[in-house]
Amino acid sequence: MPSDALIERLQWRYAAKKLDPAKAVPQAKVERILEAARLAPTSSGLQPYEIIMVSSKEVRERIKPIAWNQGQITDGSHLLVFAAWDNYTADRINMMFDLTNSVRGATNEGWENYRNMLLGMYPQREAELNFQHAARQAYIGLSAAMMAAAFEEVDCTPMEGFDANALDEILALRARGLRSVAILPLGYREADKDWLVNLVKVRRPREQFITEV
């Protein structure tokens, strides 16, 4: 594969405004997109968010009105909801540290000291501060999913334009200690009905965007 293949796909991608409801994304591609998000890095490796994959047309029809009636929500074949932990708790921190120890089959003093440092800091903070921190981690996963979608030549549209409280209620997220952060419809562009498809991608030039020190 050419070394610049990913850059070419990122040039190809855009926030599709019209998805073709007749074209479904193959499940294998969806799984690779989800796996890219699962493998994304997070602060202290805590993975403080989850992804709810909504393929049910009925559920997406319920979500559409609380998301400014954006057509991609129902025209796409899948909708990914990125939902962050509502707080950092001792149980959640211990769960991830215990999982790491189990997978690696070992532990060490430095690692356990790090666990204790987080236990002595995160659970004592305000829940809203912890949620905002977790939400920023969810955006890392969102970015990974978007890049994976581009690599798979699957269209997607990142969205913050929705009533988070209403979405949390539809998906019963609060009962699971989660709060919705962003949504990502997946599908295939309907180019002849999308005003944005042929517009040139506009980004600031490198010299105005990157500073070398």
Side-chain angles (χ1 to χ4, degrees), residues 189-200:
R189 64 188 68 175
E190 195 165 13
D192 61 338
K193 297 179 181 178
D194 193 338
W195 61 270
L196 190 57
V197 66
N198 290 320
L199 296 184
V200 175

Side-chain angles (χ1 to χ4, degrees), residues 12-191:
W12 167 85
R13 74 149 302 278
Y14 73 109
K17 301 303 180 186
K18 183 67 176 72
L19 298 177
D20 188 343
K23 293 183 179 178
V25 180
Q27 193 61 34
K29 287 180 177 279
V30 175
E31 291 300 326
R32 287 192 290 270
I33 292 167
L34 291 169
E35 183 68 356
R38 190 183 73 88
L39 293 174
T42 56
S43 179
S44 300
L46 291 178
Q47 261 186 311
Y49 66 94
E50 297 181 20
I51 300 172
I52 295 83
M53 181 176 66
V54 185
S55 54
S56 166
K57 186 67 179 290
E58 179 184 359
V59 175
R60 287 185 286 128
E61 289 285 1
R62 292 177 61 200
I63 294 172
K64 185 178 179 179
I66 58 97
W68 298 357
N69 285 306
Q70 296 176 87
Q72 303 97 313
I73 292 169
T74 49
D75 291 340
S77 61
H78 299 76
L79 179 69
L80 306 185
V81 177
F82 289 74
W85 289 353
D86 59 1
N87 200 358
Y88 286 111
T89 65
D91 285 345
R92 281 171 160 169
I93 292 169
N94 283 323
M95 177 267 293
M96 287 306 298
F97 274 79
D98 291 344
L99 175 62
T100 299
N101 291 343
S102 175
V103 171
R104 293 177 176 170
T107 186
N108 61 69
E109 183 179 357
W111 181 240
E112 292 305 315
N113 288 340
Y114 190 66
R115 179 208 297 252
N116 290 328
M117 182 189 74
L118 294 186
L119 288 171
M121 181 172 61
Y122 281 12
Q124 283 70 44
R125 301 192 309 193
E126 292 291 332
E128 181 62 23
L129 176 63
N130 282 337
F131 165 70
Q132 293 298 335
H133 182 270
R136 290 194 291 274
Q137 310 313 305
Y139 277 103
I140 299 173
L142 174 68
S143 179
M146 290 171 59
M147 287 190 285
F151 192 80
E152 296 285 343
E153 295 187 302
V154 171
D155 287 297
C156 65
T157 307
M159 296 178 176
E160 289 183 314
F162 60 94
D163 183 333
N165 290 328
L167 181 57
D168 292 352
E169 183 175 349
I170 290 171
L171 298 177
L173 296 181
R174 296 299 177 94
R176 298 171 54 189
L178 298 170
R179 292 170 59 183
S180 55
V181 172
I183 58 180
L184 187 69
L186 301 177
Y188 291 105
R189 64 188 68 175
E190 195 165 13

